[in-house]
Amino acid sequence: QTANSDKGFFLMIEGSRIDMAAHSNDPGTHVHEVLAYYEAVNVVRKYVDDHPGTVMISVSDHETGGLSLARQVNSSYPEYLWYPDVITRIKNSSYALAVQLANYWKDDRLKFINDTILRGSLGIDDFTNEEVTFLNENQTQQSYEYYLANLTSWRAQIGWATHGHSAVDVNLYARGKDTEKLRGNHENTYIGEFIKDYLGLDLDSITLKLNSDNASFHLSSPDITSFNADHLAHYHHLH
């Protein structure tokens, strides 16, 4: 719709399922979502090459999960190994399997766990009685999800530091006019500055306009942000 306009367009594509897979510490889903994102990037790259003046920027707002290879799985000296073949056998996300497991309470539940969930979907044949017992108990859907993801991460010897975000640097890729300015390491705010300058935006005037009717438009509800955290002061040596 902007082909005959001087306004141009702005498109944001979010690979949100990559983030969700990392929150679950689900290595199989994480890989497939990354590959799907690569496919999207290739489409955009071709568009940029075919339309001079267009710019593509690919970056994350944070890393999730604290992924590492060569997980130490016992108390003996670590072997510096990881086994990617374990990941290749995964056919379903731990989230999808957790949904199934949370809703399947038929008489053949144990067979369902052994044959459909473990062998069929995760490619795990060496499961233990303890693992099957946990999955056969009435757990929350999230508990199933995290546990199933860990079954494959542990066997692949993949480590995760958190179910949340980490402070690990993220990769920055760009293609198109003037993107050489994005080479190297940058603070995250620089990306916004680049976009502002490239599009010729006057953010100060926009901010003034937004503030003209309600200066608190950008603030969260007081019910959300106003809380007392004095009981956490000992974490920071505050008295």
Side-chain angles (χ1 to χ4, degrees):
Q1 295 181 1
T2 62
N4 299 312
S5 168
D6 62 353
K7 300 299 183 182
F9 69 94
F10 180 90
L11 172 67
M12 185 178 78
I13 303 172
E14 182 181 8
S16 60
R17 293 305 303 177
I18 299 175
D19 184 55
M20 297 307 296
H23 277 300
S24 301
N25 294 173
D26 182 353
T29 303
H30 197 266
V31 168
H32 285 284
E33 293 299 331
V34 168
L35 293 175
Y37 184 78
Y38 284 171
E39 293 178 3
V41 167
N42 284 332
V43 172
V44 178
R45 284 179 59 188
K46 185 178 186 305
Y47 184 92
V48 170
D49 291 343
D50 293 341
H51 297 80
T54 310
V55 166
M56 177 192 75
I57 299 173
S58 175
V59 68
S60 301
D61 53 342
H62 55 73
E63 193 273 347
T64 300
L67 174 65
S68 63
L69 305 181
R71 177 176 180 173
Q72 184 170 349
V73 296
N74 53 52
S75 59
S76 61
Y77 195 76
E79 298 177 299
Y80 309 115
L81 297 174
W82 78 287
Y83 300 101
D85 58 296
V86 173
I87 310 303
T88 65
R89 296 195 289 269
I90 299 173
K91 297 179 180 178
N92 295 91
S93 69
S94 60
Y95 169 79
L97 296 177
V99 171
Q100 294 180 43
L101 200 54
N103 291 283
Y104 195 97
W105 294 98
K106 298 180 181 180
D107 292 339
D108 64 342
R109 181 175 168 85
L110 277 176
K111 178 177 174 57
F112 176 76
I113 292 171
N114 293 347
D115 295 343
T116 302
I117 300 294
L118 296 173
R119 291 194 182 96
S121 298
L122 298 182
I124 295 176
D125 289 318
D126 61 342
F127 49 83
T128 67
N129 290 332
E130 180 183 7
E131 291 167 343
V132 173
T133 297
F134 180 91
L135 295 174
N136 194 38
E137 293 173 348
N138 189 3
Q139 314 284 352
T140 65
Q141 181 177 306
Q142 186 179 72
S143 294
Y144 287 136
E145 182 178 351
Y146 287 1
Y147 194 81
L148 290 167
N150 190 57
L151 291 183
T152 51
S153 291
W154 187 84
R155 285 169 169 79
Q157 293 195 23
I158 291 176
W160 301 86
T162 177
H163 284 290
H165 303 161
S166 80
V168 173
D169 286 347
V170 296
N171 290 1
L172 168 63
Y173 303 98
R175 194 176 187 88
K177 183 181 178 182
D178 295 337
T179 52
E180 65 274 1
K181 296 177 182 178
L182 294 175
R183 292 183 185 275
N185 294 340
H186 300 286
E187 292 290 335
N188 59 347
T189 55
Y190 183 77
I191 311 302
E193 287 292 323
F194 174 88
I195 295 173
K196 181 199 73 172
D197 293 341
Y198 184 80
L199 296 178
L201 302 177
D202 183 358
L203 297 186
D204 290 336
S205 66
I206 295 173
T207 300
L208 288 172
K209 185 176 182 179
L210 290 170
N211 276 322
S212 62
D213 294 326
N214 180 8
S216 64
F217 74 92
H218 63 291
L219 299 178
S220 299
S221 166
D223 294 337
I224 298 176
T225 58
S226 297
F227 60 90
N228 189 304
D230 289 347
H231 63 290
L232 301 177
H234 63 281
Y235 284 109
H236 311 287
H237 307 291
L238 301 177
H239 303 284

